Amino acid sequence: MQPTRLKRSGRSASLSFTEGNAPAEEETAMQTQPLAALSSKAGIGALLLFACAALTFNEVGKLYVGTPDAMGPGYFPAILGGFFVLFGFILLVEAWRNPTDRIFYGQFRPVVYLLGAIVLFGVLYPWVGGAIAIAILVLFSALAERGRSWRELAGLVVAVLLLVWLVFVIALDLQLNMLPGWMLQ
């Protein structure tokens, strides 16, 4: 154990011990970067509340606010914007008091595959029809998770195609092009 700092409060002094230098280094890094608190959960929440307050006050500027005796249509939104600012400052103080509460952003692979699957579906549907576009959508989104076998993927494609056909084409009687246009002519 290594001593990190000497605290003096009143007449007594206390010496705190920590394992290694990690906490002392982390505190030093946070002190040298004053904006580091904004990347914590509370800091991001405060920024979002300030953005909501700005949007609210922008919209309230177009409305008559009135008085407490004769409230106008902008009165309640103005109060709400004030609460956004108040709670934003509370979260901002919390972020500066505890800046080590970081956000875990996760993995990008699932996000990329899922968004790519949706874009592919939208692009391919007019040309190849619903059945092929849905099959590609299911296959591409299933690849976001590692470890799936081709047998699982084939079963998933068949199950989703059958479910879409039963619900949308048969039960709801929607006119979906499940086959490509050139096959229907």
Side-chain angles (χ1 to χ4, degrees):
M1 287 201 203
Q2 299 174 352
T4 56
R5 65 180 167 258
L6 186 63
K7 293 183 184 178
R8 292 185 186 263
S9 58
R11 297 181 191 172
S12 64
S14 64
L15 190 60
S16 65
F17 290 91
T18 60
E19 293 289 330
N21 290 337
E25 291 172 1
E26 189 172 304
E27 286 178 15
T28 307
M30 289 299 172
Q31 290 169 356
T32 58
Q33 299 175 355
L35 295 179
L38 293 179
S39 65
S40 67
K41 291 178 184 177
I44 297 291
L47 291 176
L48 287 174
L49 283 173
F50 289 143
C52 289
L55 180 66
T56 303
F57 287 135
N58 181 39
E59 293 300 318
V60 166
K62 302 172 189 171
L63 300 172
Y64 173 70
V65 176
T67 64
D69 291 337
M71 295 180 200
Y75 191 82
F76 178 72
I79 300 280
L80 185 64
F83 279 123
F84 283 149
V85 170
L86 174 70
F87 291 133
F89 276 121
I90 290 171
L91 279 177
L92 197 58
V93 168
E94 178 65 28
W96 276 323
R97 288 175 64 203
N98 185 16
T100 59
D101 188 19
R102 297 278 181 210
I103 294 175
F104 174 68
Y105 291 104
Q107 301 173 352
F108 289 111
R109 177 189 170 102
V111 174
V112 169
Y113 272 94
L114 292 176
L115 289 176
I118 294 168
V119 168
L120 271 174
F121 176 79
V123 168
L124 292 177
Y125 179 76
W127 289 319
V128 298
I132 297 172
I134 290 171
I136 291 173
L137 169 78
V138 170
L139 286 173
F140 206 72
S141 18
L143 291 176
E145 183 183 11
R146 297 179 195 259
R148 292 198 178 262
S149 69
W150 287 104
R151 180 177 275 169
E152 267 183 351
L153 293 176
L156 188 60
V157 166
V158 170
V160 170
L161 280 174
L162 184 63
L163 185 67
V164 166
W165 182 69
L166 287 174
V167 170
F168 293 108
V169 176
I170 302 298
L172 295 176
D173 197 28
L174 295 177
Q175 300 299 316
L176 296 178
N177 295 332
M178 293 301 282
L179 298 174
W182 55 270
M183 287 185 83
L184 296 174
Q185 293 175 0

